[in-house]
């Protein structure tokens, strides 16, 4: 069996190599369902269906606990999988249709009248959908450092991959308010689910893993876990990622609340702002892609996080649609820099770990990255809990006396505090070995 590197930095195996486009387009499919769920679950559950902010915070708390309990098992089992199709492909093939069904079921919750039963139903399918999304993204992410081991190719592939993520955001975030206004959330979930299914399978069947990775010796779960938790840089990177994700998630989830309750505008304004942010993000990706070739990915990450911090700081003074658009686009430009650099930093940390301990643990590393990213559910749930207790914003039918202040707390002040923590952590990560072509 011939295994070598092609000129573009991907593995050639049995005269087959993975096309960067074929791999990168998978980000479009993996991002659409979870973007829909994470961005619109709050407004759907609280404003449309009528469960309380506290009940929704409980759903987020439970989902986070389940993720924490499962996440290292998923990565460990992925690393130990041995099939003729590779380690990651079977997980992607099986989990995708299950994710689609679970997503559709979640957005069918309006059939229940009993609020407690409704909360249990929504909570169950929220947990199931996010768990399946975890399996898919963990295995998809684990393929990245394996399929493209050369640094310059990683940069190019990641820019292409993040471009597809932005396209997914345009579909599942910016376009959704318009579509749901005419079709409803259930129909939109069906359309997005089927689209994601086709794209993920198209990506999966075009990825060719390196067979030599399956010959590496197995390591026990505890041994694998202890190997990576000793790495300080991994913790700094993980905490930075976690608090960035809190800031980003609150920015996306609470924008519909801010536009409705602070600016008193409709869904079309939400779509307009999201499209503006995504347009700037696309342009930003082209800029940061070039910058990443000149300076280290870690410095790009730090610079982009500073820009996001400035954007939220200015957003505190936003009181009109025009100022909201301007400051949101600044945040979007910073987000594009994080998107262009964060995965490169993570892949380099995986490489550094292999140089230190000689173990192929991409799945366990991806589990750790996903864990740090997904603990945001606890903090986001805490934010909604605070909104109900501080501002008495319970639901769309009971928004309290100062819903504008409540929405600004969710949209500006909470994510501002999170991005400050993320920024500090980026400066604690050390460069380590020089990023270079290998």
């Amino acid at each position: 069996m011939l295994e070598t590197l092609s000129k573009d930095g991907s593995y050639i195996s049995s005269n087959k190599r993975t096309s960067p486009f074929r791999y990168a387009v998978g980000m479009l499919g993996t991002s659409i369902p979870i973007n829909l769920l994470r961005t619109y679950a709050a407004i759907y559950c609280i404003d449309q269906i009528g469960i309380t902010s506290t009940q929704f915070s409980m759903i987020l708390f439970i989902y986070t606990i389940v993720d924490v309990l499962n996440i290292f098992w998923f990565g460990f089992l992925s690393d130990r999988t041995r099939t003729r199709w590779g380690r990651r492909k079977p997980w992607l093939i099986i989990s995708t249709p299950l994710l689609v069904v679970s997503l559709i079921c979640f957005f069918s919750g309006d059939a229940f009248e009993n609020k407690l039963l409704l909360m249990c139903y929504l909570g169950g399918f929220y947990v199931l959908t996010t768990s399946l999304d975890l399996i898919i993204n963990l295995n998809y992410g684990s393929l990245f450092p394996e399929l493209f081991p050369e640094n310059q190719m990683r940069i190019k592939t990641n820019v292409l991959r993040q471009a597809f993520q932005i396209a997914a955001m345009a579909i599942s975030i910016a376009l959704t308010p318009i579509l749901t206004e005419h079709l409803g959330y259930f129909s939109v979930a069906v359309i997005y689910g089927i689209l994601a299914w086709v794209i993920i399978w198209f990506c999966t069947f075009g990825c060719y893993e390196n067979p030599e990775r399956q010959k590496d010796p197995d390591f026990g779960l505890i041994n694998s876990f202890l190997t990576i938790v000793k790495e300080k840089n991994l913790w700094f990177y993980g905490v930075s990622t976690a608090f960035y994700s809190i800031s980003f998630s609150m920015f996306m989830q609470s924008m519909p609340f801010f536009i409705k309750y602070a600016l008193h505008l409709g869904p079309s304004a939400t779509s307009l702002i999201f499209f503006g942010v995504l347009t700037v993000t696309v342009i930003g990706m082209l800029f940061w892609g070039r910058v990443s070739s000149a300076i280290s990915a870690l410095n790009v990450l730090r610079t982009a996080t500073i820009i996001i911090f400035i954007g939220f700081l200015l957003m505190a003074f936003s009181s009109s649609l025009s100022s909201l658009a301007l400051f949101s686009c600044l945040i979007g430009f910073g987000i594009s820099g994080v998107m262009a650099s964060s995965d490169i930093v993570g892949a380099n940390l995986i490489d550094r770990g292999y140089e230190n301990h000689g173990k192929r643990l991409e799945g366990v590393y991806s589990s750790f990255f996903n864990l740090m990213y997904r603990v945001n559910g606890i903090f986001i749930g805490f934010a909604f809990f605070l909104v109900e207790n501080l501002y008495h914003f319970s639901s769309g039918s009971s928004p309290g006396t100062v819903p504008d202040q409540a929405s600004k707390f969710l949209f500006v002040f909470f994510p501002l505090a999170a991005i400050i923590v993320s920024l500090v952590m980026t400066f604690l990560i050390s460069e380590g070995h020089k990023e270079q072509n290998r």
Side-chain angles (χ1 to χ4, degrees):
M1 176 96 51
L2 175 65
E3 281 101 26
T4 186
L5 289 178
S6 68
K7 292 181 180 180
D8 69 359
S10 58
Y11 272 112
I12 298 175
S13 175
S14 300
N15 298 319
K16 294 181 179 180
R17 66 181 179 87
T18 301
S19 160
F21 172 85
R22 191 76 179 263
Y23 172 76
V25 75
M27 184 66 88
L28 178 64
T30 60
S31 298
I32 287 176
I34 199 63
N35 282 345
L36 175 65
L37 184 72
R38 291 188 183 279
T39 305
Y40 293 102
I43 196 76
Y44 172 74
C45 292
I46 298 171
D47 197 63
Q48 300 283 323
I49 302 300
I51 69 171
T52 68
S53 297
T54 298
Q55 288 175 325
F56 184 70
S57 71
M58 290 175 60
I59 291 174
L60 294 180
F61 178 77
I62 293 170
Y63 124 75
T64 306
I65 296 301
V66 172
D67 260 10
V68 169
L69 294 175
N70 286 335
I71 199 163
F72 279 104
W73 275 111
F74 291 159
F76 174 70
L77 291 174
S78 178
D79 282 338
R80 289 177 63 90
T81 300
R82 301 289 185 268
T83 73
R84 58 180 294 189
W85 302 282
R87 295 185 292 174
R88 321 298 180 185
K89 189 176 293 187
W91 294 97
L92 291 166
I93 293 172
I94 294 171
S95 299
T96 300
L98 297 177
L99 171 72
V100 172
V101 172
S102 182
L103 178 73
I104 294 170
C105 289
F106 176 83
F107 285 104
S108 307
D110 52 359
F112 292 85
E113 294 184 3
N114 184 290
K115 296 302 180 183
L116 180 58
L117 183 61
L118 175 60
M119 186 192 76
C120 294
Y121 175 88
L122 292 171
F125 278 106
Y126 191 96
V127 170
L128 180 59
T129 304
T130 52
S131 295
L132 291 165
D133 169 74
L134 171 61
I135 294 173
I136 290 171
N137 277 283
L138 187 153
N139 283 279
Y140 177 75
S142 297
L143 287 171
F144 179 56
E146 175 181 338
L147 297 179
F148 307 100
E150 187 267 327
N151 195 62
Q152 286 301 313
M153 195 58 197
R154 280 182 182 172
I155 294 173
K156 295 177 182 179
T157 304
N158 190 55
V159 168
L160 183 59
R161 185 171 63 154
Q162 300 305 333
F164 279 117
Q165 183 173 7
I166 295 170
M169 292 166 67
I171 296 169
S172 58
I173 296 177
L175 189 61
T176 294
I178 297 173
L179 292 179
T180 54
E181 194 173 17
H182 294 88
L183 302 176
Y185 280 98
F186 174 79
S187 297
V188 171
V190 172
I191 295 170
Y192 287 179
I194 294 174
L195 177 62
W197 186 346
V198 172
I199 294 171
I200 294 173
W201 273 19
F202 173 76
C203 164
T204 301
F205 287 107
C207 289
Y208 304 101
E209 299 179 50
N210 177 16
E212 291 300 309
R213 297 294 177 99
Q214 297 200 93
K215 298 178 182 178
D216 290 337
D218 291 332
F219 300 97
L221 177 62
I222 302 300
N223 187 25
S224 299
F225 175 78
L226 292 177
T227 296
I228 69 169
V229 298
K230 296 176 183 176
E231 301 176 25
K232 278 194 309 183
N233 278 316
L234 205 61
W235 283 100
F236 295 144
Y237 172 75
V239 173
S240 174
T241 300
F243 279 87
Y244 161 76
S245 73
I246 293 166
S247 182
F248 175 79
S249 296
M250 291 304 301
F251 175 67
M252 301 304 252
Q253 291 188 39
S254 57
M255 186 181 289
F257 289 92
F258 183 78
I259 288 176
K260 178 177 181 178
Y261 292 103
L263 301 184
H264 308 290
L265 299 172
S268 59
T270 303
S271 289
L272 178 65
I273 296 298
F274 275 137
F275 273 122
V277 170
L278 295 177
T279 300
V280 171
T281 306
V282 170
I283 297 172
M285 286 295 297
L286 300 175
F287 170 81
W288 293 115
R290 290 184 176 273
V291 170
S292 296
S293 299
I295 64 175
S296 71
L298 181 55
N299 284 327
V300 171
L301 179 63
R302 290 166 176 163
T303 304
T305 308
I306 291 173
I307 292 173
I308 296 173
F309 163 72
I310 295 172
F312 276 116
L313 199 61
L314 294 173
M315 190 72 77
F317 304 99
S318 175
S319 58
S320 65
L321 184 63
S322 58
S323 61
L324 171 65
L326 178 62
F327 302 145
S328 294
C329 287
L330 181 61
I331 292 172
F333 182 65
I335 288 171
S336 68
V338 175
M339 292 170 66
S341 59
S342 184
D343 287 347
I344 304 297
V345 174
N348 290 336
L349 288 174
I350 293 176
D351 290 343
R352 195 187 309 179
Y354 177 71
E355 292 169 4
N356 292 336
H357 52 63
K359 300 177 182 178
R360 296 289 185 186
L361 301 172
E362 291 94 341
V364 176
Y365 275 101
S366 293
S367 292
F368 183 84
F369 295 156
N370 274 276
L371 172 64
M372 301 306 289
Y373 184 87
R374 296 164 84 95
V375 293
N376 67 16
I378 293 177
F379 293 91
I380 295 171
F382 182 60
F384 282 102
F385 174 81
L386 288 177
V387 158
E388 180 161 4
N389 286 272
L390 295 178
Y391 299 96
H392 307 292
F393 187 102
S394 179
S395 66
S397 59
S398 180
T401 57
V402 285
D404 56 331
Q405 295 180 30
S407 62
K408 195 164 189 175
F409 173 81
L410 290 173
F411 184 58
V412 180
F413 297 116
F414 199 88
L416 175 61
I419 205 64
I420 290 172
V421 177
S422 178
L423 178 59
V424 171
M425 290 298 108
T426 64
F427 283 93
L428 296 178
I429 304 170
S430 66
E431 289 278 6
H433 68 278
K434 182 180 179 181
E435 295 174 15
Q436 58 186 1
N437 297 348
R438 285 167 292 132

